[in-house]
Amino acid sequence: MKAIRRFTVRTVLPEQLQPLHELALNLRWSWHPETRDLFRSVDPEVWESTGEDPVRLLGEVSAARLTALAADRRFLRRLHDTADELQDYLTGTRWYQDALPGDDGEPLPSGIAYFSPEYGIAAALPQYSGGLGILAGDHLKAASDLGVPVIGVGLFYRHGYFRQSLSRDGWQQERYPLLDPNELAVSLLREPDGSPCLVVLPLFGGRRLHAHIWKAQVGRVPLLLLDSDIEENAAAERDVTDRLYGGGSEHRLLQEMLLGIGGVRAVRTFCRLTGHPAPEVFHTNEGHAGFLGVERIRELAAGPGDGEPGLDFPAALEAVRAGTVFTTHTPVPAGIDRFDRELVARHFSGDAALPGVPVEQVLALGAETWDGGDPALFNMAAMGLRLAQRANGVSTLHGEVSRGMFNGLWPGFDAAEVPITSITNGVHAPTWIDPAVVRLGAREIGAEHAEDAMMIGEARRWHGIESIPDTDVWELRRSLRAQLVDEARRRLRASWRQRGAGDAELGWTDSALDPDVLTIGFARRVPSYKRLTLMLRDPDRLRRLLLHPERPVQIVIAGKAHPADDGGKRLIQEMVRFSDDPAVRHRIVFLPDYDMAMAQHLYPGCDVWLNNPLRPLEACGTSGMKAALNGCLNLSVLDGWWDEWFDGSNGWAIPTAESAGLGVGPAGSQELDTERRDDLEAAALYDLIEHQVAARFYDRGPGGLPHRWIEMVRHTLVHLGPKVLAGRMVREYVERLYAPAAAAHRRLAGPVPDGSPYSGARGLAEWKARVRAAWPAVRVEHVEAGGPADAPELGSTLALRVQVALGTLEPSDVDVQVVAGRVDDGDRITGAATVSLKPSGRPDIDGRWLYEGPLELSRTGPFGYTVRILPAHPLLASPAELGLIAVPPESAGMDAGLLR
């Protein structure tokens, strides 16, 4: 019979073992080997059967075993040492506490709220689908290791993402097991009277959305997860947090409202209850949490509650923008959440309206106002950028792509000047480096030094790794490969049994893969642009590579397609059918249900990590970073992080059709273009594997060692190791974005000479309104130059005189600049440098101002310049912030390189 209700009965631990409970509820165990070893020793068999989950372990271990442990003095010593070490970790001084103030002398932020729709902390807390969530989890872990005072905010999905299996014919199947929070490392946030804390959002039609707040402790970082599956909600509202990236458009909108609006309210509740400093900076990881800015505007409109009036919308917007950071992860417009404008209007008006936040203003934040934008849609990325004074992409190339993609929000500016910077993603080394790799490194440089090297992300801390002997490196790589082979065989057998095969059919799985064969890994989500099946473009050639008599290759593949993506499922089916072929199935395997637990075997065990997306559609692609930390070499298209850090000695770059100077098909036929491109790039991939990768792997020297391969492994560890760390990434966020955002927040929110809080925000909003109103009258009217115009020489100087009309503005409101540099055949300036000109005297009788300044001719060859006027204010983070620019009118042409 089926139970009508399910709940968890928790184990009552003997008093001597109570620290086990605290250790289990802090997810630091997921990246702390000593804590994991302690839990394994409680009961090794139960530890394995529960998926290495301490909470489940303590729920299933026998009472007799617990009684025995409570009397085991050696175990108790280990337990108390581990518990004491955790307390030292939680309370001790770390990098952030020792960090110096920023360049402006401002203290670092006292609190930072980090919002993401998903988090990959551990396989035991399945609240992630792919790279975005894993990145968010690594961000929190690195913040914890560094002592950065972050509060994570997300949603608690009762069904997580999904578990993947395969049908007999290789079609992806999904199932959504129900997650019981009482079986997870989370605790319910409660009021002092013991009642669960409640977040409430009004919805249109008089409905209300309620949510409880679950707290997961990620080392030093609390992670707040909002859960709508509670009795206070009607059935429809209970399902809002049912699953990650599920449901229709309105379902997604409600999730994002709960994440953004409800998330801010959860943070306020947590800070009230715990005394945690209120965040000075709010960081939204992708556009899903963008409504957090709208909620913060509502807070400021309501006022501080001590008789001080609230801010109007423009001033509140400036105050919110100053302390907000927005990270975009998508390189294509199709990857952005967009909602029907009328749907959004319905959820922010009437009963659902936020006081002080007019619905027209909300709609304006997400409006697609650029050429080609759809006025009927509400764009979450556009809202994220309008609500954040600082924004970034997640690799150098992605920053460049993002500036081009969002250029329409800053009309008149070149894409290079769009105020979106980049901080390249990183990965949390203690989570992703195999313990055997750590032990080998610690043997050479010391355990404490190795721990610092993994957490901080500074090149000097990795010195010493290069002295590891070749024999030790090769023995380690062989051991990790054998470990992966064992795990792959186990998963392969389980998958085939699930597909309906009997034990009599599965004898071949015992010899699938070979611990001495070059092993290539490919594992990621399966959208079409990642090109899972590029390796199948020429099946016969792939078979020859797999079955080469002297230099064979084996490939381990994993990945999930979105449940609604039948195209992705067809790609998986095509790959599975190829790997099912008895002739090659010992050399190529597809492992279903890719998750963190599988990944922690894949990355260390592969010799080469393959990535072949359509460039430049991979924003960053951190899986290759995790592989590199284990001495795995990358074989990738120059996209994402690999584009900036490939150096010729840490792997191989797959040529693309563009980089090879090859056309990709007949003009006007996109389908044929894509086909031609895939053929060319697949051929390049086969050539690389056969003639470079496999050739070097099997090139054995004295002692049977591939010395040149080992040198590439060593080079990868020493030179890529410190770069790819989440510790490096989080330090960059602190120094380049969080600290400046906190300083800007203080300047706008703190008292100014009149003693009123937020006067800075009011003043900035009023100044922006005045500048926008006056800008139509701002013009560059005349430009002339004195100097060697007829025969300019390198190092000579032109004296510029520029007449401008400023309308009702003053020179202090603007910056008049000359922009100069090389020019291309279309007279476009490249590699531009800017110089500000100075006003000379007072305006003339017609109200025009004269600006003057020198222009040094610092480059030879084609050279040009122009003049422009920009708004200028000390509280602007970028000259392009207002999207206003005045340039000379189009002229008939150029004269001796000088605009007349």
Side-chain angles (χ1 to χ4, degrees):
M1 297 178 66
K2 188 173 182 179
I4 62 170
R5 187 178 178 192
R6 182 179 187 275
F7 52 89
T8 299
V9 180
R10 290 198 168 187
T11 301
V12 178
L13 294 174
E15 183 178 352
Q16 300 93 321
L17 301 182
Q18 281 301 315
L20 283 173
H21 181 68
E22 299 303 320
L23 290 169
L25 285 181
N26 192 311
L27 287 157
R28 186 188 180 227
W29 60 257
S30 67
W31 73 89
H32 191 248
E34 290 82 357
T35 307
R36 294 175 61 82
D37 288 344
L38 177 73
F39 280 117
R40 181 179 289 108
S41 69
V42 168
D43 191 317
E45 290 186 8
V46 177
W47 174 251
E48 295 296 329
S49 69
T50 57
E52 301 186 351
D53 179 347
V55 175
R56 291 181 58 199
L57 167 77
L58 297 181
E60 296 186 21
V61 70
S62 70
R65 176 58 179 163
L66 292 175
T67 299
L69 288 173
D72 185 334
R73 287 183 294 176
R74 180 177 298 177
F75 179 83
L76 292 177
R77 277 196 301 271
R78 284 183 64 199
L79 171 59
H80 289 289
D81 287 346
T82 306
D84 289 344
E85 197 278 334
L86 175 61
Q87 285 305 308
D88 290 343
Y89 173 87
L90 296 177
T91 59
T93 297
R94 307 194 71 79
W95 171 83
Y96 193 83
Q97 287 69 44
D98 286 336
L100 297 174
D103 294 338
D104 53 7
E106 290 273 358
L108 295 177
S110 57
I112 300 147
Y114 180 90
F115 287 63
S116 178
E118 52 175 302
Y119 289 91
I121 307 294
L125 186 65
Q127 300 288 301
Y128 61 94
S129 71
L132 180 70
I134 300 299
L135 179 278
D138 283 5
H139 194 108
L140 297 194
K141 294 173 187 177
S144 173
D145 290 340
L146 295 172
V148 183
V150 166
I151 302 171
V153 184
L155 300 180
F156 181 81
Y157 304 98
R158 288 292 179 134
H159 296 279
Y161 190 42
F162 68 89
R163 302 295 303 272
Q164 179 197 47
S165 59
L166 300 173
S167 68
R168 185 72 191 208
D169 66 353
W171 188 255
Q172 173 179 293
Q173 297 178 318
E174 303 94 23
R175 59 187 178 88
Y176 293 87
L178 179 66
L179 300 176
D180 180 356
N182 293 301
E183 293 180 333
L184 303 175
V186 296
S187 57
L188 199 59
L189 196 62
R190 296 181 181 274
E191 296 289 351
D193 65 2
S195 62
C197 297
L198 202 61
V199 169
V200 184
L201 272 64
L203 303 178
F204 79 93
R207 298 179 298 143
R208 293 166 78 82
L209 174 60
H210 304 76
H212 285 167
I213 306 166
W214 294 98
K215 180 177 73 72
Q217 194 65 39
V218 186
R220 297 166 69 117
V221 172
L223 170 58
L224 310 179
L225 302 171
L226 287 95
D227 176 14
S228 72
D229 187 15
I230 60 176
E231 293 181 357
E232 288 85 347
N233 282 327
E237 284 71 49
R238 290 188 75 145
D239 287 343
V240 166
T241 56
D242 58 350
R243 62 188 62 177
L244 184 58
Y245 302 142
S249 180
E250 184 166 19
H251 184 267
R252 288 286 295 277
L253 177 61
L254 289 173
Q255 283 190 340
E256 297 186 7
M257 289 173 61
L258 181 59
L259 175 59
I261 299 170
V264 172
R265 297 178 185 181
V267 168
R268 302 303 187 204
T269 299
F270 177 78
C271 292
R272 169 175 59 83
L273 292 172
T274 65
H276 191 290
E280 295 182 280
V281 177
F282 285 75
H283 182 179
T284 174
N285 189 38
E286 245 321 329
H288 308 282
F291 290 119
L292 72 84
V294 178
E295 167 63 9
R296 291 174 60 217
I297 290 172
R298 181 203 65 78
E299 291 180 328
L300 295 174
D306 57 0
E308 176 72 28
L311 299 183
D312 60 13
F313 185 91
L317 174 60
E318 296 305 328
V320 165
R321 291 185 72 252
T324 301
V325 173
F326 174 71
T327 298
T328 174
H329 289 261
T330 180
V332 290
I336 296 168
D337 275 352
R338 301 158 84 204
F339 297 105
D340 184 272
R341 177 184 171 92
E342 294 306 314
L343 176 64
V344 176
R346 187 161 67 247
H347 280 282
F348 283 90
S349 58
D351 295 337
L354 296 177
V357 188
V359 64
E360 310 83 52
Q361 299 283 12
V362 175
L363 295 174
L365 291 171
E368 296 189 351
T369 53
W370 51 88
D371 290 343
D374 189 337
L377 293 180
F378 183 94
N379 186 302
M380 293 295 289
M383 178 175 67
L385 290 165
R386 287 183 174 120
L387 283 169
Q389 197 177 45
R390 289 163 180 80
N392 70 287
V394 291
S395 68
T396 299
L397 177 60
H398 180 237
E400 179 183 331
V401 169
S402 297
R403 288 188 287 275
M405 186 166 72
F406 295 112
N407 201 170
L409 284 169
W410 291 271
F413 289 87
D414 291 342
E417 295 186 290
V418 167
I420 300 175
T421 186
S422 62
I423 293 179
T424 302
N425 281 346
V427 298
H428 185 246
T431 295
W432 300 110
I433 298 183
D434 190 272
V437 180
V438 177
R439 287 193 294 270
L440 180 59
R443 194 187 72 191
E444 292 297 320
I445 64 176
E448 187 173 345
H449 192 172
E451 183 177 354
D452 283 347
M454 288 193 297
M455 291 183 181
I456 303 299
E458 293 176 350
R460 62 184 174 84
R461 298 172 187 266
W462 286 71
H463 292 316
I465 298 293
E466 64 272 15
S467 63
I468 299 174
D470 283 8
T471 51
D472 293 349
V473 173
W474 192 239
E475 287 174 8
L476 172 68
R477 294 299 316 148
R478 205 273 180 186
S479 171
L480 295 174
R481 198 182 310 117
Q483 179 179 290
L484 170 60
V485 167
D486 289 343
E487 177 69 8
R489 288 172 179 172
R490 183 186 69 79
R491 288 178 177 269
L492 195 61
R493 284 192 293 271
S495 173
W496 273 89
R497 286 196 188 96
Q498 194 280 330
R499 293 171 68 185
D503 288 343
E505 302 175 66
L506 296 180
W508 65 273
T509 61
D510 293 335
S511 57
L513 306 179
D514 185 326
D516 293 309
V517 167
L518 170 63
T519 303
I520 298 175
F522 183 102
R524 50 193 33 89
R525 292 184 303 111
V526 191
S528 60
Y529 79 86
K530 291 183 182 282
R531 297 194 293 184
L532 166 69
T533 56
L534 184 69
M535 67 182 79
L536 301 182
R537 295 297 291 184
D538 185 343
D540 290 336
R541 186 161 186 195
L542 177 59
R543 288 189 185 93
R544 291 197 298 273
L545 289 173
L546 296 171
L547 303 175
H548 194 286
E550 297 163 357
R551 299 194 301 271
V553 171
Q554 60 192 14
I555 308 177
V556 181
I557 303 163
K560 292 180 177 180
H562 188 281
D565 181 10
D566 283 349
K569 293 179 183 181
R570 280 191 289 272
L571 296 177
I572 290 175
Q573 186 177 49
E574 183 181 351
M575 178 59 69
V576 171
R577 286 176 171 173
F578 180 88
S579 65
D580 282 352
D581 182 350
V584 297
R585 65 188 181 186
H586 64 300
R587 286 282 187 261
I588 183 169
V589 298
F590 182 91
L591 304 179
D593 209 24
Y594 179 46
D595 65 358
M596 291 183 70
M598 182 193 296
Q600 286 168 326
H601 290 279
L602 273 178
Y603 300 135
C606 291
D607 300 294
V608 175
W609 196 256
L610 174 61
N611 189 27
N612 46 233
L614 282 169
R615 188 181 190 272
L617 301 185
E618 184 80 279
C620 185
T622 56
S623 61
M625 294 179 171
K626 298 160 193 158
L629 282 174
N630 288 281
C632 177
L633 306 180
N634 275 267
L635 171 61
S636 176
V637 166
L638 288 175
D639 201 1
W641 73 276
W642 191 236
D643 182 70
E644 64 193 271
W645 288 335
F646 166 65
D647 64 9
S649 298
N650 52 15
W652 295 268
I654 302 170
T656 59
E658 295 90 343
S659 67
L662 302 171
V664 291
S669 174
Q670 183 61 45
E671 181 177 350
L672 289 175
D673 289 354
T674 302
E675 292 291 310
R676 174 70 171 148
R677 175 178 183 148
D678 284 356
D679 285 341
L680 291 167
E681 295 180 8
L685 173 61
Y686 298 137
D687 286 343
L688 270 175
I689 293 174
E690 181 175 6
H691 301 301
Q692 295 191 42
V693 180
R696 179 158 296 192
F697 181 85
Y698 290 105
D699 177 19
R700 305 299 164 91
L705 299 179
H707 294 286
R708 291 198 302 160
W709 184 277
I710 293 169
E711 183 52 39
M712 291 182 73
V713 171
R714 189 183 288 109
H715 178 88
T716 293
L717 290 171
V718 172
H719 294 280
L720 269 184
K723 292 179 181 177
V724 301
L725 294 188
R728 184 271 313 155
M729 172 190 72
V730 171
R731 286 192 297 107
E732 286 193 37
Y733 272 106
V734 169
E735 294 162 356
R736 295 175 49 200
L737 295 178
Y738 293 165
H745 166 78
R746 292 172 195 141
R747 286 194 293 271
L748 292 189
V752 291
D754 68 2
S756 173
Y758 288 101
S759 292
R762 291 187 179 97
L764 181 59
E766 290 166 1
W767 177 84
K768 284 188 174 183
R770 180 166 60 84
V771 169
R772 288 191 177 102
W775 204 256
V778 175
R779 296 184 303 276
V780 177
E781 296 205 336
H782 181 71
V783 181
E784 62 182 49
D790 294 331
E793 296 180 348
L794 180 67
S796 59
T797 299
L798 302 180
L800 297 181
R801 292 168 56 86
V802 181
Q803 281 187 326
V804 301
L806 299 182
T808 59
L809 299 181
E810 296 292 328
S812 60
D813 295 321
V814 300
D815 186 15
V816 179
Q817 300 176 339
V818 57
V819 183
R822 292 187 183 275
V823 292
D824 60 19
D825 293 340
D827 290 338
R828 299 289 300 178
I829 298 173
T830 60
T834 62
V835 177
S836 294
L837 304 177
K838 302 297 183 183
S840 176
R842 301 297 302 166
D844 64 16
I845 192 169
D846 296 318
R848 296 177 301 183
W849 291 83
L850 177 65
Y851 278 74
E852 297 178 319
L855 173 60
E856 181 181 353
L857 304 182
S858 58
R859 297 179 179 179
T860 58
F863 189 87
Y865 73 88
T866 189
V867 175
R868 67 184 184 182
I869 309 172
L870 303 174
H873 191 284
L875 294 180
L876 297 183
S878 160
E881 185 169 316
L882 274 73
L884 299 176
I885 186 171
V887 296
E890 292 287 338
S891 64
M894 305 283 282
D895 181 10
L898 304 177
L899 180 66
R900 298 295 188 187

